[in-house]
Amino acid sequence: MDIQEKIEILTEGAKYDVSCSSSGSSRRGSSNGIGSTASSGICHSWADDGRCISLLKILYSNYCIYDCIYCVNRASNDVRRAAFTPEELAKLTIEFYKRNYIEGLFLSSGVINTPDYTMECLIQTMKILREQYRFNGYIHMKAIPGADEKLIQLAGTYADRMSINIELPTEESLLKLAPQKKKEMITKPMTYISNQISEQRENRKKYKRTPSFVPAGQSTQLIIGATPDKDYQVLRLTEGLYKHFQLKRVYYSSYIPIVEHPSLPTTSGSSLVREHRLYQADWLLRFYGFDVDELFNNNYGQQLDLTLDPKCDWALRNIELFPVEVNKADYEMLLKVPGIGIKSARKIVTARRFGPISYEGLKQMGIVLKRAQYFITCQGKYYGSVSLDGHRIRNKLVGVYGNQQSSNITIGQSYQLSFF
Ligand code: SF4
């Protein structure tokens, strides 16, 4: 099989993993233009400083000994199979890099023979890239669940980021859709990576030349909608992952029915709106001081309200805390106001040291007043277009979609997707 064919098969097999962010798009090129978004596995990720980096997103191999029911590469699925050698994949990456197609590599694989054997192949690929080609670019590697800790340790010295995908939020779901994978196969290496990161951080304080270990941290991915797991379970798990494993990011991937099986939903069990609400809730947990219990409305059981972003929903359920006076409220309370983000809250706190802030001043600071107007006063005046009444404000915020049942919102009907 030639390299071109391997690239086609192994980039196709990698595209359902969102744990390095986007997977490009399907816009077709034209003969009189330049550039293409669809060709062979270039995806984009974001560095800590906000830079967008393009990655070659590819599998080492799509052979797999496991049979995870939701996965296109599962052992029992009839798909074309291919595998690189470490030399081939390292050479391909460096050639793409030299041609300026990519700035880094997102490397994953099905499990060939054993988890340890697969890890050795991935490590060998990275070793060639780092040592033979002296490649200093970004490498995000998917660790193989069940691999030996010594191999995880070695991989961590070559990779910038490692992820181990949990995929299914509960043990029950794992048992149903990926029975060969045990929870410990995922949590054990995650714990090991987390401990190594902490240890390395401590060592660095004492010894300048401490070798690096996954300097960009670890992340994971959860599939949403392949099982009946609720948003509450997903976010409880997320909260634990951030607290106990120091994860940099948890990615949520709305289930896409690419393979058929009686245990799988026949249509997308989820929606892009649900995925987006989970990302918004995740943001609130990490940066806005919310905890999971605060984000849930009893009317929706253990699901997030799809018609409103979770911060608005929380504010409306706690309307007695509002309006807050922007010239007096503390920073933590400002953060809880819909329409005021972290940067805006900081700007308000800084600006009011020099004098009272006017409503006009809030506009100039970039506060999203179409939401914030209902929850603040400015120099004692309330500017909301309706009185401070939870139902009326909800109708205003939900707007034209107010009478739409949240359960009817599916892919293609997305709306109100702005962040806070
Ligand atoms: S181990 Fe990974 S590649 Fe193999 S079937 Fe499961 S999800 Fe797919």
Side-chain angles (χ1 to χ4, degrees), residues 46 56 195 210 259 325 328:
W46 280 265
L56 170 62
N195 290 343
T210 305
V259 285
E325 169 55 48
K328 289 191 186 142

Side-chain angles (χ1 to χ4, degrees), residues 205-365:
K205 287 181 197 160
K206 293 185 230 153
Y207 316 107
K208 256 189 172 175
R209 289 180 174 272
T210 305
S212 77
F213 181 86
V214 284
Q218 61 171 329
S219 60
T220 192
Q221 167 181 279
L222 295 169
I223 301 173
I224 306 306
T227 52
D229 302 312
K230 303 285 191 199
D231 293 343
Y232 184 79
Q233 291 165 295
V234 171
L235 289 173
R236 266 258 168 266
L237 174 64
T238 297
E239 192 176 47
L241 291 170
Y242 286 132
K243 255 188 209 155
H244 305 303
F245 295 97
Q246 309 173 55
L247 257 71
K248 279 277 182 187
R249 286 295 302 269
V250 175
Y251 291 92
Y252 308 95
S253 174
S254 185
Y255 167 67
I256 303 167
I258 34 172
V259 285
E260 289 180 6
H261 192 280
S263 302
L264 289 171
T266 46
T267 54
S268 175
S270 189
S271 71
L272 293 182
V273 179
R274 184 179 173 199
E275 186 185 295
H276 183 67
R277 293 286 176 249
L278 284 167
Y279 276 115
Q280 288 177 315
D282 178 295
W283 212 258
L284 293 179
L285 296 179
R286 284 192 293 150
F287 303 116
Y288 286 78
F290 284 87
D291 67 47
V292 173
D293 288 315
E294 287 179 292
L295 299 178
F296 285 86
N297 180 341
N298 289 337
N299 294 339
Y300 292 94
Q302 295 193 324
Q303 294 293 84
L304 292 169
D305 180 352
L306 292 185
T307 59
L308 270 185
D309 73 68
K311 195 174 176 189
C312 279
D313 179 57
W314 174 84
L316 291 173
R317 284 184 287 109
N318 292 279
I319 199 72
E320 69 284 356
L321 302 176
F322 297 97
V324 296
E325 169 55 48
V326 282
N327 283 291
K328 289 191 186 142
D330 61 25
Y331 174 74
E332 286 71 26
M333 192 60 211
L334 286 173
L335 275 185
K336 302 225 161 176
V337 176
I340 299 184
I342 294 170
K343 273 193 191 160
S344 315
R346 283 196 195 126
K347 277 187 200 164
I348 291 171
V349 171
T350 309
R352 69 192 184 188
R353 286 192 205 131
F354 304 97
I357 301 170
S358 65
Y359 198 66
E360 213 31 59
L362 290 175
K363 274 187 200 161
Q364 283 158 13
M365 281 179 203

Side-chain angles (χ1 to χ4, degrees), residues 11 63 73 80 99 128 135 185 275 285 306 309 345 382:
T11 53
Y63 288 102
N73 300 316
R80 282 194 305 159
R99 288 186 173 92
I128 297 172
F135 177 66
M185 289 165 75
E275 186 185 295
L285 296 179
L306 292 185
D309 73 68
Y382 178 72

Side-chain angles (χ1 to χ4, degrees), residues 80-180:
R80 282 194 305 159
R81 305 273 174 181
F84 286 112
T85 62
E87 291 74 18
E88 278 174 346
L89 188 48
K91 188 161 180 257
L92 180 76
T93 306
I94 208 70
E95 282 180 359
F96 272 27
Y97 182 78
K98 282 181 181 165
R99 288 186 173 92
N100 234 354
Y101 296 166
I102 55 157
E103 291 157 285
L105 172 68
F106 176 83
L107 177 60
S108 181
S109 184
V111 184
I112 329 159
N113 299 339
T114 63
D116 283 355
Y117 175 76
T118 314
M119 273 298 275
E120 280 165 12
C121 296
L122 299 180
I123 291 169
Q124 185 59 18
T125 307
M126 292 191 292
K127 187 172 164 62
I128 297 172
L129 271 170
R130 296 290 195 215
E131 293 178 5
Q132 187 177 323
Y133 293 116
R134 296 171 174 271
F135 177 66
N136 284 324
Y138 181 83
I139 300 180
H140 179 163
M141 197 204 103
K142 286 266 303 289
I144 305 295
D148 192 279
E149 281 178 358
K150 285 194 189 111
L151 295 171
I152 302 269
Q153 167 66 34
L154 185 55
T157 61
Y158 293 119
D160 293 282
R161 172 168 286 186
M162 262 210 265
S163 56
I164 302 166
N165 284 356
I166 297 180
E167 309 285 23
L168 300 166
T170 60
E171 236 178 317
E172 207 184 350
S173 302
L174 203 63
L175 197 67
K176 189 173 161 209
L177 297 188
Q180 292 148 305

Side-chain angles (χ1 to χ4, degrees), residues 59 61-75 81 108-111 142 144-145 167 177-178 180-181:
L59 296 179
S61 164
N62 67 343
Y63 288 102
C64 193
I65 55 169
Y66 292 143
D67 208 31
C68 307
I69 288 169
Y70 51 84
C71 177
V72 69
N73 300 316
R74 69 177 200 231
R81 305 273 174 181
S108 181
S109 184
V111 184
K142 286 266 303 289
I144 305 295
E167 309 285 23
L177 297 188
Q180 292 148 305
K181 281 186 185 165

